[in-house]
Amino acid sequence: MTIGLIDTGCANIASVRFALERAGLNHVVVRDADETGDCDRLILPGVGAAGPAMDRLRARGWDVSLRIDGRPLLGICLGMQLLFETSDEGNAACLELLPGQVRQLPRTDGLVWPHMGWNTLEAPAADEPLLRGIPAGTHVYFVHGFYVPAGAVTRAQCDYGAAISAIVRREHVSGCQFHPERSGLAGARILSNFASI
Amino acid sequence: MLARRIIPCLDVRDGRVVKGVKFRNHEDVGGIVELARRYAREGADELVFYDITASARGATVEPEWVSAVAREIDIPFCVAGGIRSVDDARARLFAGADKISVNSPALENPGLIDALAREFGCQCVVLGVDSRLIAGQWRVHQFTGDPDKTRTVERRTLDWIAEGIDRGAGEVVLNCMDMDGVRDGYDIEQLAAARAACSTPLIASGGAGRKEHFKSAFELANVDGALAASVFHKRVMEIGELKAYLGAEGIRVRS
C-alpha cells in the first residue's frame, strides 16, 4: 500500500505527511500525475483558496488525470471542495468529480465565521468505509469558511448554521471537510481506514 | 455542536518554554516538544506557541522546532512571534503549523494581515492583541516580549480588532495584560466588549487560575476558546479534569 500525497505547492502538506508517518502509512509526495505509478491511492490535501489551488492543479495536469483515475482518492478540506463542480470562493471551476457546488457558510447571527474548532460528525452512513470504528458524535477538527451543503454524496454531516458535508463519497472518490491529520485519534483512524479501502 | 476550546499557551524563548508574570521575570518550564506532547495527550484542543523574543529582537521563529512539533502532535497549533512577511508565514505553515498569529508586525504594517489572508486564507491568520486599560480605555500594547521595548500605541483595542477582521484575520486572541500570569480570572468585561466587536472566533488570554475562570469566560464573555499557561505548566489543574468540570457545568467540550 502506498499513498500518493499530491503536492500542488500551495498547500501545507507537512501536517498530512506527519500524520501518515505517525499512523505508519507508507506514502510518497507526488507533484505530477506521471509520478503516481507506485501509488495505489491518492490524497489531495488543501489549504488556501479555491482559485489559486485549481490553477496549480491544472498547470500540472491533475484536472485531466484525476478524471480518468480509478484509484481511491481522498480530498481533505479545500481538497475535498475541489472535487465538486464549482466554488463560490472566487467563482472557481473545480474538478467536477462529484456533483454539487461549494457555497459560503452563512454568517448567521450568533455563530462566528469561519467555522473553526472541534465539531461532531452526525448522521454517519453505516456502510462508509472511512467511518469504520468512528461513532456518531465523534469530534473532529474543522477550519473553513466555505462548505458543500449536505446532499446525495454526503456520508456524514456536521451542523454549523447549515448542514455541512463532513464526509463525502461517490465510488472511489471521497473527501473530508475536516482535517483528519489534526483530529487526534479519530483522525488517525480515518486515515488508516482510507489506507485499507 | 462546536466544542469550546482549551488552549495551553507555550511562551518560547531560546528554544525552551518559559513563563513570566505580567510579561516579566521568565522562568524555564520545559522543552517545547516534550510539553506539546504532554498537553496533546492530556486533551488540549489546540496549542499556541509564542516566540516572545522574536519581535523585540527583530528575529523570527525557527521553523525547525515548528516542524518537530508538527511531527509529534495530532491536534492543531498556531505559531506566533516576529512573522513580518508572507515568506515568514509560509515557512511556518509549510513546516506544519496550522495557523500563524501576528501581533506587533501587524501594528507596524496593518497591510500584512491583508497579504497573509490573501495568500493563505483567513482561516490561517490569527490576530494577537495585547491590551491594557489606560485612563478608562482599552489600548493596544506592542513589543511585549521585552519589558524594555514594550510601549503603548495609540490604537484602541476594540477598533484594532474590528480593523484586523476587516483586513482578513480569521481569529482573534485577546491577551488582557492586566490579568496576565496573576491567576485572578479572565478580564470578563473586556472580553465581552471584544466579543461584541468580533465576528470571528475569539480566544481569551490572561488570568486563568481556577476552573471557574474558564467557565466564566465561556458563559459570560461567550469566547470560543480559553488560553492559559501557568496553571497548566505548574500543574495547578490537569486539562482532562478541567474539561470534565466544564462538561458537568453544561459547557460543551471535546471529551
Side-chain angles (χ1 to χ4, degrees):
Chain A
M1 195 289 302
T2 299
I3 297 172
L5 187 56
I6 299 174
D7 181 9
T8 54
C10 66
N12 161 19
I13 65 160
S15 53
V16 178
R17 200 156 48 82
F18 294 147
L20 295 175
E21 273 174 26
R22 285 194 301 273
L25 301 174
N26 194 32
H27 60 279
V28 292
V29 174
V30 291
R31 289 179 165 273
D32 294 292
D34 60 10
E35 293 174 7
T36 64
D38 296 335
C39 306
D40 49 26
R41 60 205 69 219
L42 297 168
I43 290 180
L44 178 61
V47 174
M54 276 307 300
D55 289 345
R56 304 224 188 186
L57 284 172
R58 271 189 218 102
R60 293 187 176 275
W62 287 106
D63 55 328
V64 176
S65 61
L66 287 176
R67 207 161 291 161
I68 53 171
D69 203 297
R71 290 173 284 193
L73 171 65
L74 177 68
I76 295 177
C77 196
L78 176 65
M80 181 204 95
Q81 295 178 2
L82 297 181
L83 303 175
F84 288 82
E85 291 163 355
T86 59
S87 174
D88 282 359
E89 188 180 23
N91 287 317
C94 299
L95 292 168
E96 299 179 13
L97 301 177
L98 295 175
Q101 276 78 37
V102 181
R103 303 293 187 200
Q104 183 160 24
L105 266 174
R107 295 177 182 249
T108 315
D109 278 353
L111 283 182
V112 298
W113 191 98
H115 179 211
M116 187 186 293
W118 296 81
N119 209 334
T120 47
L121 292 175
E122 306 294 349
D127 59 346
E128 172 50 46
L130 290 175
L131 286 168
R132 275 196 293 261
I134 308 285
T138 297
H139 280 98
V140 290
Y141 187 75
F142 290 86
V143 186
H144 62 119
F146 291 79
Y147 79 115
V148 177
V153 297
T154 303
R155 309 291 284 168
Q157 68 180 57
C158 175
D159 298 314
Y160 190 75
I164 294 167
S165 294
I167 292 184
V168 297
R169 165 180 306 284
R170 190 172 70 182
E171 297 163 3
H172 65 284
V173 177
S174 63
C176 302
Q177 178 59 68
F178 55 92
H179 287 273
E181 74 277 18
R182 283 286 179 252
S183 292
L185 294 174
R189 177 65 195 263
I190 288 166
L191 291 173
S192 295
N193 286 343
F194 174 66
S196 63
I197 285 172
Chain B
M1 286 279 287
L2 191 63
R4 308 277 183 169
R5 287 177 267 159
I6 301 297
I7 309 172
C9 175
L10 295 81
D11 288 349
V12 171
R13 192 167 68 176
D14 302 327
R16 301 284 295 175
V17 179
V18 298
K19 183 60 196 168
V21 174
K22 291 193 174 178
F23 287 62
R24 289 172 180 270
N25 307 319
H26 296 103
E27 56 180 282
D28 188 294
V29 292
I32 298 171
V33 172
E34 165 198 334
L35 270 173
R37 191 189 298 137
R38 185 183 119 201
Y39 291 138
R41 202 169 45 222
E42 288 179 0
D45 297 304
E46 187 172 326
L47 300 175
V48 173
F49 297 87
Y50 276 90
D51 190 326
I52 56 171
T53 52
S55 272
R57 281 189 194 161
T60 54
V61 288
E62 300 159 12
E64 290 76 19
W65 64 257
V66 176
S67 174
V69 169
R71 196 177 290 271
E72 197 63 42
I73 65 168
D74 57 9
I75 57 171
F77 70 99
C78 176
V79 172
I83 296 166
R84 298 177 171 278
S85 68
V86 166
D87 285 343
D88 289 341
R90 183 182 291 112
R92 284 138 195 86
L93 292 170
F94 276 40
D98 299 278
K99 301 187 252 188
I100 43 97
S101 178
V102 288
N103 186 327
S104 309
L107 287 166
E108 287 164 30
N109 170 24
L112 177 61
I113 302 170
D114 307 66
L116 293 171
R118 215 168 26 238
E119 185 73 15
F120 306 112
C122 61
Q123 79 287 342
C124 286
V125 183
V126 179
L127 179 65
V129 179
D130 294 323
S131 174
R132 167 170 287 172
L133 192 64
I134 293 172
Q137 293 234 331
W138 292 302
R139 297 271 182 186
V140 179
H141 272 236
Q142 192 174 2
F143 287 145
T144 44
D146 182 340
D148 297 332
K149 292 184 179 169
T150 294
R151 59 191 173 97
T152 306
V153 295
E154 291 303 305
R155 286 191 181 83
R156 284 190 300 198
T157 301
L158 300 184
D159 294 345
W160 179 231
I161 289 173
E163 180 180 340
I165 292 169
D166 273 352
R167 289 179 177 277
E171 181 166 83
V172 173
V173 175
L174 180 59
N175 187 44
C176 305
M177 294 178 69
D178 295 313
M179 301 300 201
D180 186 64
V182 296
R183 298 192 214 157
D184 264 349
Y186 290 100
D187 187 337
I188 299 298
E189 189 188 349
Q190 184 172 182
L191 289 165
R195 171 79 288 171
C198 183
S199 58
T200 67
L202 174 67
I203 310 299
S205 168
R210 290 186 282 118
K211 296 182 189 116
E212 292 80 2
H213 296 155
F214 290 85
K215 179 180 180 231
S216 301
F218 293 131
E219 283 187 343
L220 304 178
N222 193 24
V223 295
D224 299 281
L227 189 141
S230 61
V231 288
F232 299 138
H233 297 337
K234 292 181 183 297
R235 295 182 187 272
V236 174
M237 66 182 86
E238 294 277 326
I239 294 165
E241 170 192 321
L242 167 63
K243 290 173 96 174
Y245 160 82
L246 292 171
E249 293 290 317
I251 291 165
R252 204 167 290 271
V253 289
R254 175 180 71 112
S255 50

